[in-house]
Amino acid sequence: MTAAVQGALDVDVPWALHPQVALRPESFGALLYHFGTRKLSFLKNRTIVAIIESFPDHPDMRAAIAAAGITESGSAPYVKALATLADSKMITPR
């Protein structure tokens, strides 16, 4: 993971869906809806959905990404996508 990508998001802490966010699985991936901000996000990558759904089972985001079968060298696009979700308050540190 590059320092720039890793610096944008702390992958070494536990994460969770924001308490006001609902995740609804869909054939294309999932919908995330934030009841507080009324923001809707479409997740078209099922691996990202699996990572988010596995947050409660892992001590940190890095472990959730690894459990999804993503290597350290291939994790940058996933961390970037998760950083976008963190910026929009869809996911939050636990």
Side-chain angles (χ1 to χ4, degrees):
M1 202 171 311
T2 67
V5 171
Q6 187 175 2
L9 182 73
D10 191 350
V11 297
D12 295 315
V13 299
W15 285 80
L17 274 178
H18 188 282
Q20 290 185 309
V21 172
L23 184 148
R24 186 173 91 186
E26 295 287 345
S27 59
F28 58 81
L31 291 174
L32 289 178
Y33 181 74
H34 195 299
F35 288 93
T37 64
R38 296 183 176 177
K39 185 168 184 155
L40 180 66
S41 293
F42 294 84
L43 300 181
K44 296 179 183 175
N45 182 309
R46 291 182 185 194
T47 303
I48 292 289
V49 176
I51 291 168
I52 293 169
E53 290 178 325
S54 76
F55 281 163
D57 302 327
H58 300 286
D60 55 40
M61 184 182 287
R62 186 182 308 275
I65 292 169
I70 309 302
T71 64
E72 188 79 17
S73 63
S75 66
Y78 295 93
V79 172
K80 183 177 179 183
L82 291 163
T84 300
L85 292 173
D87 288 344
S88 64
K89 309 294 186 241
M90 293 292 186
I91 61 173
T92 185
R94 271 190 268 159

